[in-house]
Structure formats: C-alpha cells, structure tokens
Amino acid sequence: MHRSDERFSGSVALVTGAASGIGRATALLFLQAGAKVLAVDMNWPEEATRALPGASFARADISLEADCAAAVAQAKEAYGSPDILVNCAGITKRATIMDTQPEEWDHILNVNLRSVYLMSRLVIPSMQSKGGGSIVNVASGWGLVGGARAAAYCASKGGVVLLTKAMAVDHGRDGIRVNCVCPGDTDTPMLKREALELGLREDALLKDAVSRPLGRAGKPSEVAETIAFLVSPASSFVTGTAVVVDGGSLAGSA
C-alpha cells in the first residue's frame, strides 16, 4: 500500500462510521499515514472493505454498550490500546419535533451522542495509562446553529459539541486532547439521503452548496485532513475546540 507520509506511524486509531463518507476518508488517511486502524461500522459491504486495504474491521451498533466494548477489545487484541479515537458514526432524519416519533428521537440521540459517550468511556482509561491520547468527535455546523426540519439531529450534534468541551476539561491533565469538527454540506451518501427525505433530487443539496462562499460542497477527504490535524502533534496545544469545516457557510451571506 502506498503511504503518502508517516505522520501516524506506530499509532493505533479506532474510527467509527468508517464504511463510508467522512469516516472512510479518515480511516484511509490514517492508514496511508502509517497508523494501525480498526474501522467500525454497522455494515461492511465488500466495496467498503476493499476501500481500506490494511485495516481491521468490526461490525458494531455503536449505540449499544456491548458492541462498543467488543470493538475496543478487538482493537486492543489486534494492535494494542488506541492512541486515537474518532467518533464519526452518525445518522439524520429531516423532521421537526412534531414529525419525529419518540423512538426516532431516541435512535438519533443514541447513535449520534450516546455512542460518543460509550466509546470515549471505554477508551479513556487506556489513554490515561499510556499518558495521553487524542479524541475527535464529528459534530456538525448544525451543532452550532439550528437548521430547519432537523430537530433531533441538531440536538444530538449540539450535545456532541458541549460533550467535547466537557471531556477536554476533565481529561486535559491526563494528556488527552478532545476536539470536534463541525462539517457543513459534504459530498457523502448521508447528504444524498437527506435530499431524498426532503422530497428533492438526490443531488439537490450538493447543487445548493454553490451558494456557499467557496461555491461548492466539501469533500470527505477535506474533513479527514482537519481531523488528522487535530490528532497530530501539530495541534498539541489545541483541545476543547470545535473546528468548522463548511466552506464558509456559517460565516455569513454575501
């Protein structure tokens, strides 16, 4: 496998939501930069496993404590304790609270927010014993501002932002840095599913991104590079922050 650099040589990274989108791009970047990677997702189609040569794979529902524990145990058995945790798995439903059923609300909060709590709680003790580590949680621009017909999603991602800050405060003295990224519209399968939920063409939200200051939607690899920066020594004095990666969307309108 070609490696573009050795930024993470010797590191062990655990990435959730790694079968597609930002999670896959992040796992691939880590592999190319020399890390040992356990890629976690609910489903692993053959195409997804081929896209991450050299990774190990865990099939897990990260809203369930037992599945999270099994994934962490698999990483430790395969490579040793993780130095890096990227909580990237996420789902959305485009609906107001009136159109969101209680079970749907619970499911979105469990996948998007509870999973961050579960995975971090399982990994932090090993990081403490090793003298440090880095956690990056993937939130959203809609974790910082509200969005239409996305009540549960906004609530969950807002929770991720504040959980990130609280974890950074609690574990900075352990040498553990905790940050999050807040992507805007990014060319992923989830963005296309959102468009269909709204009754639009699959590519409608991608086309709408032309109105952003940079005139386009983001690429998963661009968000992955930001994640890589946040877990690298280049950001050694950065913790508790939410980095917006949205092509200028939240900056304002022209």
Side-chain angles (χ1 to χ4, degrees):
M1 179 181 64
H2 171 70
R3 286 181 177 166
S4 59
D5 59 60
E6 295 291 327
R7 273 179 285 177
F8 301 114
S9 179
S11 295
V12 177
L14 194 159
V15 182
T16 70
S20 64
I22 294 168
R24 181 195 291 188
T26 301
L28 180 60
L29 187 156
F30 285 155
L31 287 166
Q32 292 173 336
K36 298 173 182 176
V37 176
L38 179 74
V40 182
D41 213 302
M42 277 279 287
N43 298 296
W44 282 106
E46 184 62 30
E47 177 269 335
T49 59
R50 288 197 304 269
L52 296 173
S56 293
F57 302 94
R59 192 183 305 270
D61 178 348
I62 41 75
S63 69
L64 301 176
E65 184 177 7
D67 280 23
C68 291
V72 173
Q74 183 177 333
K76 290 180 178 179
E77 182 177 353
Y79 303 126
S81 299
D83 309 284
I84 298 165
L85 170 62
V86 179
N87 289 303
C88 190
I91 57 173
T92 188
K93 177 179 174 61
R94 296 301 302 269
T96 68
I97 59 167
M98 299 308 298
D99 295 325
T100 303
Q101 297 302 312
E103 60 272 18
E104 293 173 323
W105 174 275
D106 289 345
H107 183 52
I108 292 166
L109 270 288
N110 285 341
V111 172
N112 290 0
L113 181 56
R114 186 173 192 263
S115 66
V116 176
Y117 153 73
L118 289 173
M119 293 299 300
S120 299
R121 189 170 186 269
L122 288 160
V123 167
I124 283 173
S126 296
M127 290 183 173
Q128 288 171 321
S129 66
K130 295 174 74 170
S134 186
I135 299 172
V136 174
N137 303 318
V138 178
S140 169
W142 278 1
L144 299 171
V145 300
R149 294 175 60 184
Y153 182 78
C154 291
S156 68
K157 294 302 187 178
V160 170
V161 173
L162 267 294
L163 177 58
T164 295
K165 294 179 181 293
M167 288 167 56
V169 171
D170 288 338
H171 299 290
R173 296 300 177 93
D174 297 322
I176 300 170
R177 296 187 300 107
V178 189
N179 293 288
C180 70
V181 295
C182 296
D185 287 344
T186 307
D187 188 359
T188 65
M190 190 167 81
L191 188 68
K192 295 171 184 175
R193 288 194 297 270
E194 277 190 72
L196 296 175
E197 276 191 353
L198 292 168
L200 305 172
R201 289 171 53 96
E202 187 179 73
D203 63 351
L205 297 180
L206 285 172
K207 289 184 175 179
D208 282 351
V210 71
S211 65
R212 310 295 189 263
L214 290 186
R216 62 177 176 84
K219 302 173 186 176
S221 60
E222 292 174 311
V223 183
E225 285 288 357
T226 304
I227 293 170
F229 166 72
L230 288 172
V231 302
S232 75
S235 65
S236 58
F237 200 54
V238 178
T239 195
T241 194
V243 179
V244 178
V245 189
D246 71 347
S249 180
L250 295 187
S253 58

